[in-house]
Amino acid sequence: GTFCSGLDLHDNEQSDAEKNHDSSTHSLKEGPNMIRHMTRVTNQLISLPVLSIAAIDGYAVGGGAELTTSTDLVVLSRDAK
């Protein structure tokens, strides 16, 4: 399984149809907005009034790895990478 693999940033420009086909692909121009969004998400996760747990059973790379640093507890399976 995969916990979260983050986004795939491409240097080349894609058409709107291509972007709609694969929502995980973004141009490098969107990078600053994605960083601001991820900062808001991680800050909200850190501020939760309840315990937050990342249960990882596969890959946690890029933004997925970043999310795990914002949780109170990280639990890994033997298949976590």
Side-chain angles (χ1 to χ4, degrees):
T2 301
F3 172 74
C4 186
S5 60
L7 293 176
D8 183 8
L9 294 174
H10 284 279
D11 197 12
N12 59 334
E13 288 299 316
Q14 294 180 313
S15 69
D16 289 340
E18 289 173 315
K19 286 183 183 180
N20 289 335
H21 177 70
D22 181 4
S23 63
S24 68
T25 302
H26 298 271
S27 73
L28 289 176
K29 290 180 183 178
E30 295 175 79
N33 287 335
M34 295 306 301
I35 291 169
R36 284 189 285 278
H37 175 72
M38 190 61 160
T39 300
R40 283 191 304 271
V41 169
T42 55
N43 286 337
Q44 289 174 344
L45 187 56
I46 290 167
S47 299
L48 283 174
V50 296
L51 182 68
S52 60
I53 302 171
I56 303 172
D57 180 38
Y59 290 94
V61 296
E66 185 176 356
L67 281 175
T68 67
T69 66
S70 301
T71 60
D72 297 308
L73 179 66
V74 178
V75 179
L76 307 172
S77 76
R78 293 185 190 273
D79 296 325
K81 298 174 175 59

